[in-house]
mmCIF file of all heavy atoms in Angstrom:
data_model
loop_
_atom_site.group_PDB
_atom_site.id
_atom_site.type_symbol
_atom_site.label_atom_id
_atom_site.label_comp_id
_atom_site.label_asym_id
_atom_site.label_seq_id
_atom_site.Cartn_x
_atom_site.Cartn_y
_atom_site.Cartn_z
ATOM 1 N N ALA A 126 -14.517 -5.310 13.438
ATOM 2 C CA ALA A 126 -15.710 -6.194 13.474
ATOM 3 C C ALA A 126 -16.941 -5.442 12.989
ATOM 4 O O ALA A 126 -17.733 -6.012 12.230
ATOM 5 C CB ALA A 126 -15.935 -6.660 14.925
ATOM 6 N N ALA A 149 10.645 1.308 11.053
ATOM 7 C CA ALA A 149 9.517 1.282 10.127
ATOM 8 C C ALA A 149 9.167 -0.166 9.744
ATOM 9 O O ALA A 149 8.002 -0.531 9.613
ATOM 10 C CB ALA A 149 9.834 2.079 8.856
ATOM 11 N N GLN A 173 2.857 8.981 7.881
ATOM 12 C CA GLN A 173 4.072 9.678 8.318
ATOM 13 C C GLN A 173 3.837 11.172 8.376
ATOM 14 O O GLN A 173 3.681 11.826 7.356
ATOM 15 C CB GLN A 173 5.229 9.378 7.364
ATOM 16 C CG GLN A 173 6.578 9.895 7.846
ATOM 17 C CD GLN A 173 7.682 9.719 6.791
ATOM 18 O OE1 GLN A 173 7.740 10.498 5.842
ATOM 19 N NE2 GLN A 173 8.526 8.701 6.983
ATOM 20 N N PHE A 270 -10.043 -0.283 -4.438
ATOM 21 C CA PHE A 270 -9.090 -1.293 -4.032
ATOM 22 C C PHE A 270 -9.800 -2.592 -3.603
ATOM 23 O O PHE A 270 -9.183 -3.636 -3.570
ATOM 24 C CB PHE A 270 -8.244 -0.771 -2.895
ATOM 25 C CG PHE A 270 -7.295 0.315 -3.254
ATOM 26 C CD1 PHE A 270 -7.597 1.675 -3.071
ATOM 27 C CD2 PHE A 270 -6.046 -0.037 -3.817
ATOM 28 C CE1 PHE A 270 -6.677 2.630 -3.417
ATOM 29 C CE2 PHE A 270 -5.143 0.974 -4.185
ATOM 30 C CZ PHE A 270 -5.447 2.300 -3.988
ATOM 31 N N ALA A 283 1.277 -8.564 -26.876
ATOM 32 C CA ALA A 283 2.405 -9.467 -26.791
ATOM 33 C C ALA A 283 2.899 -9.617 -25.357
ATOM 34 O O ALA A 283 3.857 -10.348 -25.127
ATOM 35 C CB ALA A 283 3.541 -9.004 -27.673
#
Side-chain angles (χ1 to χ4, degrees):
Q173 189 186 76
F270 290 97

